[in-house]
Amino acid sequence: MTRPNQPPKTDRKVTTLRLQEMKVAKEKISALTAYDFLTARLLDQAGIDVILVGDSASMVFAGNDTTVPMKMDEMLYHVRVVTRAVKRALVVADMPFMSYRKSPDEALGNAARLMQDGMAEAVKMEGGRSLAPIVERVVDAGIPVMGHVGLQPQSIHTYGTYKTRGLDELEAEKIIDSARAFEAAGAFAVVIEKVPQDLARRITEMLKIPTIGIGAGLNCDGQILVTPDMLGMNTQFHPRFVRKYAKLSEDMVKAFTHYHLDVKGRKFPTEAESY
Ligand code: KIV
């Protein structure tokens, strides 16, 4: 008998088609980010459906204030180490700021690098209707595209704030239009970030492709969080939408302090830990 609090154990590889089936079957999609081999392997072992190599790495891995400084070569490095670890989950690579905006050819070239050199299985792009020709070109070449609407962190310098998007009807309509444009251009899923839950619900009901929410309420087809945030590694970041499933910052500082004191006090290593 399976216990209700355990995820269904399946070795079936997650594909874009499988995500579509999950939407139809109303089975929620679980997604988290990864930037390194060991975390990616643990996420895969836990049965997470989608692992996003997010450009949030620029902030939570590299310590930048925004995702803007992330370069293609840096993203490629993270994608390679993550895909080396993952067997079951669908691995999606974020396309860094300006790596897909200048021309369809450049976008296609960079998406191809993430797939061929990084072994990603899909790419993610932030944008709206003006991005449609680029999305179409990449999808047409056989590269699955995940869209990203609502709060688009790569546009932080335009917004000037990380506040909730789509609070007024004008912006809400624009976000709906962006999601529709991604679907029409052939995207297989759309991330909806930091919008009122009712707006995310409307988009989820409108689209045939799955929506993955972050700070977008409980009515999306799936949920994603930034892994170091949900592990409680960042002591300076407490938005309402991040549920902390662990207190790793406390556990890690405790472990490092313990080790430090053991070394100072000649308690580590012992004879048993020596050759
Ligand atoms: O870069 C990232 O981690 C993301 C998620 C917040 C969806 O885009």
Side-chain angles (χ1 to χ4, degrees):
M1 205 175 79
T2 44
R3 277 185 273 151
N5 60 353
Q6 287 194 329
K9 276 282 170 209
T10 167
D11 290 336
R12 189 171 161 199
K13 174 80 184 104
V14 181
T15 60
T16 55
L17 176 65
R18 175 82 189 105
L19 297 183
Q20 186 60 52
E21 290 170 359
M22 288 165 84
K23 169 146 184 153
V24 172
K26 298 198 182 317
E27 181 188 339
K28 292 282 185 183
I29 297 163
S30 63
L32 284 170
T33 64
Y35 323 105
D36 69 277
F37 179 88
L38 290 178
T39 307
R41 194 164 65 179
L42 295 172
L43 293 175
D44 206 34
Q45 275 172 21
I48 298 299
D49 297 314
V50 177
I51 297 179
L52 171 70
V53 188
D55 61 358
S56 48
S58 173
M59 300 170 80
V60 298
F61 182 91
N64 293 308
D65 287 338
T66 74
T67 58
V68 172
M70 184 106 206
K71 306 286 188 316
M72 261 304 290
D73 285 347
E74 294 163 345
M75 176 52 73
L76 206 45
Y77 175 79
H78 289 290
V79 176
R80 275 198 203 108
V81 301
V82 167
T83 54
R84 212 172 281 147
V86 176
K87 294 191 167 54
R88 178 185 168 273
L90 180 81
V91 180
V92 181
D94 237 342
M95 296 204 67
F97 180 72
M98 282 305 137
S99 68
Y100 55 100
R101 285 280 183 178
K102 289 183 230 154
S103 74
D105 277 350
E106 195 181 18
L108 183 56
N110 284 329
R113 279 182 79 199
L114 294 169
M115 303 287 285
Q116 284 195 299
D117 299 344
M119 303 299 285
E121 295 162 320
V123 299
K124 178 165 82 60
M125 300 179 191
E126 297 177 11
R129 190 155 290 282
S130 66
L131 196 65
I134 286 179
V135 175
E136 267 172 28
R137 179 78 189 279
V138 173
V139 171
D140 189 51
I143 300 176
V145 173
M146 176 182 269
H148 185 147
V149 304
L151 177 72
Q152 298 175 10
Q154 291 178 5
S155 299
I156 183 58
H157 295 305
T158 305
Y159 302 139
T161 167
Y162 282 107
K163 80 171 179 59
T164 310
R165 309 308 307 184
L167 288 170
D168 61 81
E169 199 47 35
L170 202 66
E171 194 178 17
E173 285 303 328
K174 203 166 164 223
I175 293 170
I176 291 172
D177 185 58
S178 299
R180 281 188 190 277
F182 268 117
E183 179 172 70
F188 70 94
V190 182
V191 167
I192 307 176
E193 179 162 354
K194 214 166 178 201
V195 303
Q197 56 173 333
D198 192 52
L199 174 57
R201 182 191 53 73
R202 282 164 68 195
I203 296 172
T204 302
E205 285 171 4
M206 266 173 213
L207 300 191
K208 291 203 165 53
I209 57 173
T211 59
I212 315 276
I214 173 163
L218 49 79
N219 293 305
C220 293
D221 298 305
Q223 295 293 329
I224 185 161
L225 285 175
V226 170
T227 299
D229 294 344
M230 63 83 80
L231 289 177
M233 292 184 77
N234 188 350
T235 51
Q236 273 127 61
F237 189 57
H238 308 283
R240 186 198 311 188
F241 67 86
V242 176
R243 184 180 297 177
K244 299 204 171 159
Y245 284 83
K247 291 182 178 166
L248 277 206
S249 62
E250 282 176 26
D251 291 347
M252 288 171 83
V253 171
K254 215 185 282 173
F256 298 149
T257 309
H258 196 164
Y259 168 78
H260 171 75
L261 293 173
D262 278 357
V263 171
K264 295 280 179 191
R266 296 176 164 72
K267 289 189 184 139
F268 177 83
T270 61
E271 277 296 322
E273 289 157 331
S274 305
Y275 296 96

